[in-house]
Amino acid sequence: MAANDSGKTIAVLALVGILGAGAFMGNSWLNAQYIVGKFYADAGEWQNAIFWLNKSADQGNAQALSETAMAYLDGRDGVPKDANHACRNLEKVYDLHKDAANAANAGFCYDESMQAFAQALPFYKIAAQGGNNAVRYKLGRLYDLGQGTEQNYDTAAYWYRQAAKGNNAPALYSLALMYMQGHGVPKSPFAAYVLAKSAQAKQSGNDTNELT
């Protein structure tokens, strides 16, 4: 082993030893448990990583909560897939920050990973109010299909339109279908055609006009 490599190895072992001692003692110095867990995660040693990241997450470290959520969603090496654990951790991150971005993450997790639509709904509402167009589309879809809530075409059309104003192509397609069927909006094949063409243009990148 080259001298430089040897020095780096000793330095890393010393760092892990110092931080590990703090981690075992529950010491919050430099978020020791998270740092040790992240070190193992970056090295691909997920069985060790998840142990320390969970300890840090249990103390309310938002980064550790996010890291473990992704590990449980993906089923990283040595980590069993556990969507429920992942979504609960993302919900805890939202509880710490109370912001639209983390509300969206929790909502997406409950919706897409667990099909727990009723649990996704309140997080989607928060993120939609915060301007997230992908969430506005998802929220419209829940009301459109009656997933996790009573079916309400008027509310679905409202959220599809809000998302469409932000150039969300799936929302444009869904709104076009509502105009074709007369669900939540006056029936209008012409409006449906215009919206569908606009959605197609958005997907191809040829149209920069927003719905008004």
Side-chain angles (χ1 to χ4, degrees), residues 12-96:
V12 168
L13 290 173
L15 173 64
V16 172
I18 293 169
L19 294 176
F24 271 116
M25 292 184 292
N27 195 329
S28 61
W29 178 66
L30 292 180
N31 297 310
Q33 292 166 334
Y34 172 74
I35 293 172
V36 173
K38 191 68 168 65
F39 170 81
Y40 281 119
D42 290 344
E45 298 180 23
W46 274 98
Q47 285 186 321
N48 288 321
I50 201 68
F51 173 81
W52 290 113
L53 291 174
N54 274 333
K55 281 189 168 293
S56 183
D58 288 343
Q59 294 186 46
N61 182 298
Q63 290 175 298
L65 285 163
S66 295
E67 291 272 359
T68 53
M70 295 304 103
Y72 284 117
L73 278 177
D74 296 341
R76 304 272 170 86
D77 290 342
V79 181
K81 281 193 174 184
D82 188 341
N84 184 54
H85 194 156
C87 294
R88 284 190 287 106
N89 278 10
L90 291 175
E91 183 174 347
K92 290 175 183 177
V93 176
Y94 167 74
D95 287 339
L96 289 170

Side-chain angles (χ1 to χ4, degrees), residues 5-185:
D5 290 340
S6 178
K8 289 179 182 178
T9 300
I10 293 171
V12 168
L13 290 173
L15 173 64
V16 172
I18 293 169
L19 294 176
F24 271 116
M25 292 184 292
N27 195 329
S28 61
W29 178 66
L30 292 180
N31 297 310
Q33 292 166 334
Y34 172 74
I35 293 172
V36 173
K38 191 68 168 65
F39 170 81
Y40 281 119
D42 290 344
E45 298 180 23
W46 274 98
Q47 285 186 321
N48 288 321
I50 201 68
F51 173 81
W52 290 113
L53 291 174
N54 274 333
K55 281 189 168 293
S56 183
D58 288 343
Q59 294 186 46
N61 182 298
Q63 290 175 298
L65 285 163
S66 295
E67 291 272 359
T68 53
M70 295 304 103
Y72 284 117
L73 278 177
D74 296 341
R76 304 272 170 86
D77 290 342
V79 181
K81 281 193 174 184
D82 188 341
N84 184 54
H85 194 156
C87 294
R88 284 190 287 106
N89 278 10
L90 291 175
E91 183 174 347
K92 290 175 183 177
V93 176
Y94 167 74
D95 287 339
L96 289 170
H97 295 291
K98 301 292 185 183
D99 64 328
N102 284 301
N105 289 338
F108 282 134
C109 187
Y110 281 122
D111 180 356
E112 298 177 357
S113 299
M114 296 183 64
Q115 289 74 56
F117 305 119
Q119 288 171 275
L121 187 69
F123 294 106
Y124 275 173
K125 287 180 178 179
I126 294 165
Q129 293 289 351
N132 187 311
N133 288 311
V135 169
R136 286 172 169 176
Y137 162 70
K138 289 283 194 176
L139 183 57
R141 185 170 173 78
L142 291 185
Y143 281 108
D144 192 0
L145 300 178
Q147 294 178 325
T149 185
E150 290 186 9
Q151 191 173 52
N152 189 318
Y153 290 135
D154 291 342
T155 304
Y158 171 81
W159 285 114
Y160 282 154
R161 181 172 289 277
Q162 296 307 305
K165 287 178 179 179
N167 297 326
N168 184 281
L172 283 162
Y173 276 120
S174 296
L175 196 57
L177 185 59
M178 297 196 88
Y179 272 103
M180 182 62 70
Q181 298 172 333
H183 288 170
V185 293

